[in-house]
Amino acid sequence: MTASASTGGTPEPRPRGGEHSVPEPTGRQGGSDPTAPSAAHQPVPHGSPDTGGGADESLGAITFEALGADPAASRRKKTLWLSVTATVGFLSVLGGTLLGYYMIKPNVTRENESNKGYDASQAPFTASVQTELGDPGQDWVMVLDRELTKGEARRLTSTKDPSVTLAYLKSLGGRLLTYASYLEHAPEKYKQWTSADSVELSGTFKLKLLSTRSAPVVIDDWQATDITCRPSSARTVVGYPSQGGVAYQGIRVHVPPRSGEPVLTDRDEGQGEPYFDTHVIELGNGQSSGALRVEAIASAGQTCEWSIKVHYVDAYQKEEWLQLKDSSGKTLRIRTESAPADPRQAWVFGAVPWTACHQKTEEPMCDSV
């Protein structure tokens, strides 16, 4: 306690540091006012972060403002505005969905028509020819454009293996011919035509037809066209004759063609009958490529080149005669030849030992080359 001066001159005692003393403001940062209410009793501002109300109101205000509503409007008006907005949005989505649904059929129709137009603009088919390589064990004939030397002739006749002989002749530039199918069940008139000639040799090939069309294409007839022939250039013939008549599945045509050709060469019923009387070639619509084994027979002693024109009908009600073309768009030309009428050299083997028919032998098998 310190003394202070009283009114009478005697100093009055003043409390120092007592519990009821009021500290004077010091001016230092962090001082507190004892008369201010404590933190525990201070009122929490409305919409403080502790309650989240301010954030909700702010979000709501932003939402209403984004929707074009007045944030200050009453709750009833805001609710009505939200209901109207939601209804309009729902009807818009529903309208778009219904419109899309009702437009599906017209859109699909237009797309289908566009696809059909594109499909119809494509070439109905293309063609290719693959020359038959020959089976060494079956009958065959090889022709060459020159005579064999003595050494080549000696090597040729040194083996009786037809596969070795065939390979050797091919290495010398020989071209393969095959014996035409034996059509024992063909109509009598057709057989008479065949028997009137000597043994017939054919240039056999596989005709392949391919279509990229989505819709069906049907070939129901054909013609041999643009035929040009000249004498065969072959000088040498080597034959491995048949041991008996054989029929192969496919068709046959002479060049120039005979009436009704091409005809069936199958063993089944219809042999020798016009092929397109009972058959068609179906292409497109996911069909695999059409393929026919064709026996083309040139006149005796002739080499011919020719083309094929076919009649087709498609799914777009279009029909016409069309020249066969290859994948590059060029007209397909087929080369067909027969044995020369008077060869300089001719051999046969197989059923008989090697025989030089050009040496005026009386061997009957020489008539087969």
Side-chain angles (χ1 to χ4, degrees):
M1 299 280 294
T2 57
S4 62
S6 68
T7 55
T10 305
E12 293 181 0
R14 295 182 181 178
R16 294 183 61 181
E19 67 179 87
H20 297 293
S21 62
V22 179
E24 297 180 359
T26 62
R28 292 179 299 174
Q29 191 174 6
S32 62
D33 183 0
T35 62
S38 65
H41 295 88
Q42 288 182 357
V44 178
H46 181 67
S48 70
D50 291 341
T51 62
D56 291 343
E57 289 188 1
S58 299
L59 180 60
I62 294 172
T63 302
F64 283 113
E65 186 176 354
L67 294 175
D70 183 6
S74 66
R75 179 180 297 275
R76 184 168 177 271
K77 287 184 177 181
K78 290 178 179 179
T79 302
L80 179 60
W81 181 264
L82 283 176
S83 299
V84 171
T85 303
T87 302
V88 171
F90 172 74
L91 291 177
S92 297
V93 173
L94 179 61
T97 302
L98 291 176
L99 180 61
Y101 174 77
Y102 285 110
M103 288 300 292
I104 286 176
K105 186 174 181 179
N107 289 339
V108 169
T109 301
R110 283 195 297 271
E111 184 176 354
N112 287 341
E113 290 301 321
S114 176
N115 290 339
K116 287 180 181 179
Y118 175 77
D119 193 45
S121 69
Q122 302 302 300
F125 43 79
T126 57
S128 65
V129 167
Q130 180 182 355
T131 303
E132 191 170 83
L133 299 178
D135 181 351
Q138 298 293 337
D139 49 11
W140 49 262
V141 169
M142 292 288 284
V143 294
L144 295 88
D145 286 342
R146 63 178 179 82
E147 298 178 45
L148 300 182
T149 65
K150 290 182 179 180
E152 290 169 340
R154 187 165 47 250
R155 179 175 174 182
L156 175 71
T157 58
S158 65
T159 178
K160 295 182 179 181
D161 186 338
S163 61
V164 173
T165 303
L166 188 64
Y168 178 60
L169 290 170
K170 285 183 178 180
S171 71
L172 296 178
R175 298 182 299 277
L176 178 69
L177 302 176
T178 58
Y179 289 92
S181 293
Y182 178 60
L183 305 185
E184 59 179 333
H185 302 300
E188 192 62 32
K189 183 178 180 179
Y190 194 84
K191 287 195 293 186
Q192 288 175 357
W193 281 342
T194 303
S195 61
D197 297 328
S198 58
V199 174
E200 292 187 306
L201 300 173
S202 71
T204 306
F205 61 89
K206 183 172 288 185
L207 176 64
K208 294 183 178 180
L209 298 164
L210 178 65
S211 175
T212 59
R213 292 274 190 97
S214 298
V217 178
V218 175
I219 296 174
D220 57 11
D221 203 357
W222 88 346
Q223 295 175 352
T225 63
D226 302 326
I227 301 170
T228 59
C229 296
R230 64 181 187 277
S232 172
S233 59
R235 295 292 180 267
T236 299
V237 181
V238 180
Y240 182 68
S242 172
Q243 305 303 305
V246 179
Y248 296 92
Q249 185 174 3
I251 60 176
R252 172 191 291 180
V253 61
H254 285 80
V255 185
R258 295 173 176 173
S259 177
E261 289 185 330
V263 298
L264 276 165
T265 58
D266 298 9
R267 299 183 182 91
D268 302 331
E269 185 178 353
Q271 185 183 82
E273 298 285 354
Y275 176 79
F276 286 107
D277 280 1
T278 55
H279 293 71
V280 296
I281 302 172
E282 297 181 349
L283 302 171
N285 195 30
Q287 294 277 349
S288 59
S289 60
L292 281 174
R293 181 183 186 272
V294 181
E295 294 180 357
I297 303 172
S299 299
Q302 297 287 303
T303 296
C304 300
E305 290 189 359
W306 54 291
S307 300
I308 300 174
K309 183 182 290 186
V310 300
H311 183 267
Y312 80 93
V313 181
D314 65 17
Y316 308 111
Q317 300 182 349
K318 181 178 181 180
E319 60 174 306
E320 64 176 336
W321 286 92
L322 188 68
Q323 197 81 35
L324 287 187
K325 296 183 178 181
D326 59 24
S327 57
S328 64
K330 296 181 179 179
T331 298
L332 194 68
R333 295 292 287 171
I334 303 165
R335 185 178 186 275
T336 299
E337 67 179 311
S338 64
D342 187 20
R344 301 286 182 84
Q345 295 178 340
W347 280 273
V348 293
F349 79 111
V352 295
W354 276 103
T355 303
C357 298
H358 54 282
Q359 294 177 354
K360 308 300 180 181
T361 177
E362 298 297 326
E363 172 57 52
M365 292 296 290
C366 288
D367 293 335
S368 62
V369 295

